[in-house]
Amino acid sequence: QVQLTESGGGAVQPGGSLKLSCVASGATYTICAQMWYRQTRGEERELVASISREGVTRYADSVKGRFSISRDRAEKAIYLQMNNLQIDDTAVYYCAALHGVDCSKGDWGQGTQVTVSS
């Protein structure tokens, strides 16, 4: 099992920036990919960004050019740098990991709130 702990959420004005962190513990050597999702009330969780074991990154169209996912292997952490935040980016952001021998297991962090308002 992999445990994930997010931090870095908060409240900002439109155009502002935040950096989310997610630290992994447990069987981190089995992690295949890590992702950031977000969810607003009443909506399904949306994949925001992902990074594979090989370092390949992918982004939702809505955040391309504004968000950047990165990884620090030594710290067993991934990050989500969010720039030019907009009101529609308001959500609870979750860190997730695919892991296991066949990458079939998944775990979630507890979530961190990001609020963008003027």
Side-chain angles (χ1 to χ4, degrees):
Q1 192 174 3
V2 172
Q3 294 80 41
L4 303 167
T5 304
E6 302 106 330
S7 61
V12 295
Q13 293 184 337
S17 297
L18 282 174
K19 186 175 183 178
L20 305 182
S21 301
C22 173
V23 178
S25 60
T28 58
Y29 58 92
T30 69
I31 291 176
C32 304
Q34 289 182 268
M35 297 77 72
W36 286 100
Y37 283 79
R38 66 186 180 187
Q39 186 174 28
T40 55
R41 188 170 298 181
E43 301 291 329
E44 293 186 358
R45 287 187 188 183
E46 172 193 22
L47 178 60
V48 175
S50 65
I51 184 165
S52 72
R53 180 182 290 162
E54 296 77 19
V56 177
T57 59
R58 299 184 189 277
Y59 298 92
D61 287 343
S62 59
V63 306
K64 280 181 182 176
R66 300 188 298 123
F67 290 13
S68 177
I69 188 171
S70 61
R71 176 175 59 201
D72 184 329
R73 289 186 183 275
E75 296 296 326
K76 298 181 180 180
I78 63 167
Y79 307 96
L80 186 67
Q81 177 67 47
M82 304 184 293
N83 297 326
N84 191 20
L85 282 160
Q86 303 301 312
I87 292 175
D88 286 348
D89 294 319
T90 297
V92 178
Y93 284 71
Y94 295 90
C95 176
L98 281 175
H99 59 93
V101 174
D102 56 357
C103 302
S104 63
K105 299 179 182 179
D107 280 299
W108 297 90
Q110 80 284 358
T112 185
Q113 177 70 47
V114 171
T115 301
V116 185
S117 67
S118 55

